[in-house]
Every structure is written in C-alpha cells, then in structure tokens.
Amino acid sequence: MNEYKLFLNIRFLVGARDQDPVKITGTAMKDGGIIENAWLYIEGDKVVSYGSMADLDSAKKGFKASFEVTDLAGRSVLPGWCDSHTHIVFPKWREGEFVDRIHGLTYVEIAERGGGILNSAKKMQHASEDDLLKGAVTRINEIIKMGTVAVEIKSGYGLSYESELKMLRVIKRLKAWSPIPVRSTFLGAHAIPLEYKEDRKSYVDIIVNKMIPDIAEQGLADYNDVFCDKGFFTVEETDRILEAGNKFGLRPKIHANELATSGGIQVGVKHNALSVDHLEFTGEEEIAVLKASSTMPTILPSTAFFLKLHYAPARKMIDAGLPVALATDYNPGSSPSGNMSFVLSLSCIHMGMDPEETINAATINGAYAMDLNKELGSITPGKKASFIVTNVIPSVSYIPYAFGKSHIESVYVNGIKQ
Ligand code: NIG
Ligand code: FE
C-alpha cells in the first residue's frame, strides 16, 4: 500500500487550517475553514497539504513520484469528531428508567430511589472486566463508524474503590486496543453510594485519601471529574476532590450546572479545569468567570434532549466571546447515543448555533477538551489524517439540517479507511 495518498474532487474540505489553532473562540467559530473543490494529500497517518483543485497541477510538483489517488467525486471531507465526554464503559442499558420517565418520574426522582447512576453501580459490582471491555469495544466501533476519531471515557459507575479501579483498568485496556485515542477520566464522585448517604464525608475521604493517590500511582486516569450539582456533590466537596486531584496531576474536567446553578463552573475554573461540562444553568456570572479562564465550556445537548431539560445558552456564550465544545455524553441513563451528527442538529435547532460553529465545537474545541488539539480537530499539515468522507451533500449546512440520517460514506483514522 502506498504511504502517499491524494484525494481529489472534494466538494467541501472543512476545518482546513494552515495554522494550528489551540481552540476557536467567539465570532471566529462561525468560520468553518471551508475550501470548495479541493484536494487533500496525506503521508501515512498525517496530513501533508491541501488546496484548491484549480491549483492542483502546480501543487503536484511537490508530491512524491508515486502516490495512490482516490477520486472523491464531489463528496466532502471533515475533520473527525472529537467526543470529549462519554461514559461508554457500563454494565447494562437502562431503558426501564426511560419508560419510568415516560410514565412521569423525573431523572432526579429515579436517582433518589436508588435508580440511575446507583442502578448502574449495583450492576457494576458483579460485572467482569472482560464483559465491560466487550461492551465498550462495540461502542467504540459504533462511534468510529459515525465519524468519531477521539473519545474521552469516564469511570463513575463503580462508586467503590474496587469497582472504580476496575472501570479504569478497562479504560486502560481500551486505550491499548483502540484505533482512536482514548482519554480516561476518574469520576468516583458521580453519586453518593447508598451506604454513605448519612455519612457523605467518609465517601469523599475515600476518594481524596485512597482512590486518587492509587489511581494516579497506577497511571489509571488522565483527568478528575465530579458531578457538582444539586442532589449530587456540593461545591465544598468538589473543592476538596479537585484539589486532591490537582496534587496528583489529574486535571479537572467536571460535570457542572446540569440540574441547577450549582457553583460548579466557578469551582471548576478555580481549579483550572480543562473543561466544565453540561452547563444548562449558565448565567452572566458564570460566563464572566469562564471568559477569564482557559477552561473549555462543553455542552451536551443530547442529554438536554433526552431528559427534557432546557438547553445550555450556547448562543449567549459564543456571543459573549467564549469558545464552546460539543460532546455526546454517551451513557445508559441520560444520553444513550454517541451520534455526534445528531448533537450538531440539536445545537442548531435548539441552541441557535450556526452549522459551522457546531463543526468547530465538535472538532477542534472537542480536541482541546482532551488535550488532543495538537494532533486532531482540524485538517492541518502535520496533524493526524483522521477524517470523515461524507456522501454527496449540497452544502455543509445540510449535515445538521438533514437530521437523523447518516451523511458518512467512510471514516479514515490515521490515514486508514475503517
Ligand atoms: O453526564 N450527569 C451526570 N452523569 C451522567 C449521567 C449518568 C447516568 O445517568 O448514568 C451525565 O448525564
Ligand atoms: Fe456525563
């Protein structure tokens, strides 16, 4: 197989950026970096160059003597999705709770009865690492087909020392197996286990004094997460857990302000979080705090859709000059879907985001929220050749517009067609 590949007749080459942007912010998010009628040249797993078909003959002088040619015949190319927030290691789906919600219970009511996250945690105790791995492998293969080329995965269905470390070991095995980069996040503080309901402090003590040091020592996580929200973990508890994580080099990436104005954004920023995620309850004060930080506000609209929450104020945030990342939150309780294209549609329809803004949010800004922006998130010389080839589409806006169907013809990961 030739190391050098030339892709011809690309109708829209999206996210094409010569400079390597760290992230894209505010008004700049409207520019999807689109070149019409383009070519793309890659070597092995890396992008080498791209340009307009009109200039191909002169550009060819710089190419190797032999290269493989793929005529994309009017299909389009986008950087692959960077899904920076998922929970795809889990023991069982929870469609029973979906039916309970249809019949009138709320997500919080289900959680208070020991359902929800605690339901997954109960099953996690008896799940074998091999079975957990098998389920997650299926889901990674599934999301690659839907165009995802990097994914973050959280623990958080363990809620005990043994089960949390078991989940993280599974994620470590996924990292070794996965064709796409996997980031691992420790989420011991996802819910208070039932047996600690009257003694929350003891559970937080275990997280701070035992789980975090051992996880860091065993290299089992990249990041540290807390579900800082009404009914889950308080700002004070979050403060302790994030401080402990930072001491061990686990940068925060936290759940904040999904169910209430929880103070989660402020405490995340205080501890230099890489991202704060959900953000359905975000006001002026939170926007001001985020503006003065390097934290990526990350929005998960399929959760708002599935739980019928109100959507995060993405429009307001971008207009205020913030960057925004989009992710799926793929999990069995609040977002049983890893479909990033659907996330784009929801973001346009329910949050007033422009199609090109959603693409930047789902690619380069998602990459930033996983510290992967140097290798993924845009079509940039030197970055990984991990991209989506779409079907023939009339415009880039057609992708979020024609929701619910796949626009993907094929996906390349590190220069290899999947
Ligand atoms: O991101 N918000 C907290 N945690 C997950 C839900 C997990 C679950 O219900 O299983 C979320 O939505
Ligand atoms: Fe989540």
Side-chain angles (χ1 to χ4, degrees), residues 6-10 53 68-75 389 409:
L6 174 64
F7 297 86
L8 291 179
N9 295 317
I10 301 169
M53 283 302 289
E68 190 182 302
V69 177
T70 305
D71 185 349
L72 290 183
R75 296 183 182 85
V389 176
E409 194 254 0

Side-chain angles (χ1 to χ4, degrees), residues 97-405:
E97 292 173 7
F98 170 62
V99 177
D100 290 342
R101 282 194 301 106
I102 294 168
H103 294 164
L105 285 182
T106 67
Y107 183 74
V108 170
E109 282 165 352
I110 291 169
E112 281 167 359
R113 301 171 152 203
I117 296 162
L118 296 178
N119 175 358
S120 287
K122 221 180 295 154
K123 299 202 170 79
M124 181 61 74
Q125 279 177 12
H126 310 290
S128 75
E129 281 187 34
D130 285 350
D131 284 347
L132 291 168
L133 185 78
K134 228 161 100 189
V137 161
T138 306
R139 288 184 275 279
I140 289 185
N141 284 327
E142 177 202 14
I143 62 175
I144 292 173
K145 284 205 178 70
M146 293 193 286
T148 296
V149 299
V151 65
E152 180 258 18
I153 310 173
K154 300 171 191 299
S155 68
Y157 292 130
L159 307 184
S160 69
Y161 180 90
E162 293 72 24
S163 288
E164 282 295 314
L165 270 73
K166 173 166 74 179
M167 284 190 75
L168 292 170
R169 282 193 300 273
V170 171
I171 302 174
K172 194 170 180 175
R173 286 170 69 185
L174 287 168
K175 283 188 181 200
W177 161 83
S178 173
I180 63 172
V182 170
R183 294 295 204 225
S184 171
T185 300
F186 168 57
L187 176 53
H190 199 186
I192 297 280
L194 274 184
E195 60 273 32
Y196 288 97
K197 214 170 161 192
E198 306 308 324
D199 184 17
R200 307 169 59 94
K201 185 175 173 300
S202 294
Y203 184 59
V204 176
D205 285 345
I206 294 169
I207 291 176
V208 166
N209 300 327
K210 193 136 173 57
M211 293 196 207
I212 287 176
D214 288 5
I215 286 162
E217 199 206 309
Q218 294 174 40
L220 285 175
D222 302 303
Y223 307 113
N224 184 26
D225 195 346
V226 176
F227 187 7
C228 181
D229 225 316
K230 189 175 159 203
F232 290 84
F233 288 81
T234 65
V235 166
E236 293 69 31
E237 290 162 346
T238 306
D239 198 43
R240 271 190 75 197
I241 296 167
L242 299 191
E243 189 175 308
N246 275 344
K247 232 173 37 206
F248 286 91
L250 301 178
R251 194 170 172 192
K253 240 179 106 58
I254 72 167
H255 286 73
N257 295 42
E258 175 184 359
L259 306 171
T261 304
S262 63
I265 293 174
Q266 286 86 339
V267 72
V269 167
K270 173 183 167 194
H271 291 284
N272 190 30
L274 179 57
S275 70
V276 287
D277 302 16
H278 277 292
L279 314 184
E280 282 80 358
F281 289 82
T282 299
E284 303 294 340
E285 195 184 316
E286 285 77 15
I287 288 175
V289 167
L290 283 164
K291 273 205 80 173
S293 78
S294 61
T295 299
M296 177 61 70
T298 298
I299 297 179
L300 316 168
S302 16
T303 302
F305 169 76
F306 191 72
L307 297 184
K308 296 200 281 183
L309 307 173
H310 70 78
Y311 287 81
R315 184 71 272 141
K316 230 170 146 178
M317 292 159 80
I318 296 170
D319 289 345
L322 283 174
V324 159
L326 291 169
T328 63
D329 199 16
Y330 194 178
N331 76 74
S334 66
S335 176
S337 161
N339 189 334
M340 284 293 281
S341 302
F342 184 56
V343 166
L344 266 60
S345 297
L346 289 176
S347 303
C348 293
I349 297 161
H350 287 287
M351 302 196 297
M353 284 177 75
D354 179 88
E356 292 181 43
E357 289 176 336
T358 64
I359 291 173
N360 283 322
T363 56
I364 186 67
N365 286 354
Y368 176 93
M370 293 186 277
D371 287 311
L372 284 169
N373 50 290
K374 286 212 175 76
E375 50 186 286
L376 288 167
S378 59
I379 306 289
T380 298
K383 281 196 178 182
K384 296 282 188 204
S386 292
F387 55 84
I388 294 167
V389 176
T390 69
N391 297 322
V392 174
I393 49 173
S395 67
V396 171
S397 304
Y398 184 80
I399 297 171
Y401 156 79
F403 74 93
K405 73 172 166 186

Side-chain angles (χ1 to χ4, degrees), residues 11-28:
R11 181 69 187 91
F12 304 103
L13 178 65
V14 182
R17 301 179 192 283
D18 271 345
Q19 301 299 318
D20 187 23
V22 172
K23 60 183 168 185
I24 300 184
T25 297
T27 49

